[in-house]
């Protein structure tokens, strides 16, 4: 859902802030941080609005220098690999992950 997507984006931003070696401006709080948190509690937003907020978020932190096709591909590949680990030996998994433990569900959410 859109709300889950926004929560994931916020979680990604918080994860990037914890990752000390990626972006030199990572710890700086900005207006988009506050607006992102406020938007999560409001009604769903459009895809265009979410894309705009993501562009503003990256621009405020000067992350565009890191967003080359190569870097984005490698980062996405790493993230997909981490998610794939969660499902590697599970076989087919039903919607809602009913056979996963709570810890496994949390790991998928991370």
């Amino acid at each position: 859902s859109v709300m889950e997507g926004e929560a994931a984006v916020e979680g990604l931003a918080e994860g990037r802030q914890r990752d000390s070696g990626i972006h030199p401006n990572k710890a700086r709080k900005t207006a988009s941080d506050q607006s992102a948190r406020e938007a999560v509690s409001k009604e769903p937003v459009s895809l265009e609005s979410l894309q705009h907020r993501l562009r503003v978020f990256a621009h405020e932190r000067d992350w565009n220098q890191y967003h080359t096709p190569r870097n984005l591909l490698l980062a996405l590949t790493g993230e997909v690999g981490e998610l794939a680990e969660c499902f590697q030996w599970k076989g087919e998994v039903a919607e809602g992950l009913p056979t996963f433990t709570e810890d496994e569900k949390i790991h998928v959410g991370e």
Side-chain angles (χ1 to χ4, degrees):
S1 79
V2 173
M3 297 299 281
E4 290 169 339
E6 288 185 20
V9 168
E10 186 173 12
L12 176 63
E14 290 170 2
R16 293 291 185 241
Q17 288 175 353
R18 286 191 306 268
D19 192 347
S20 62
I22 294 180
H23 305 290
N25 298 327
K26 66 193 171 299
R28 186 176 54 172
K29 296 289 182 185
T30 64
S32 67
D33 292 330
Q34 181 62 31
S35 65
R37 278 188 280 287
E38 290 170 359
V40 169
S41 64
K42 295 181 181 177
E43 62 186 71
V45 297
S46 69
L47 179 58
E48 292 80 16
S49 173
L50 183 57
Q51 288 172 329
H52 173 74
R53 288 183 18 221
L54 287 170
R55 281 191 295 272
V56 169
F57 186 89
H59 177 75
E60 288 175 343
R61 289 157 181 78
D62 194 26
W63 285 1
N64 292 329
Q65 63 182 317
Y66 303 106
H67 291 178
T68 64
R70 176 191 175 275
N71 287 348
L72 292 173
L73 173 66
L74 292 174
L76 181 60
T77 301
E79 296 299 326
V80 168
E82 289 179 20
L83 182 59
E85 272 182 10
C86 300
F87 294 88
Q88 186 171 12
W89 306 112
K90 294 287 188 180
E92 291 301 315
V93 178
E95 185 175 338
L97 310 176
T99 60
F100 279 43
T101 66
E102 281 306 308
D103 284 344
E104 289 171 326
K105 289 178 183 180
I106 289 170
H107 189 116
V108 168
E110 292 174 334

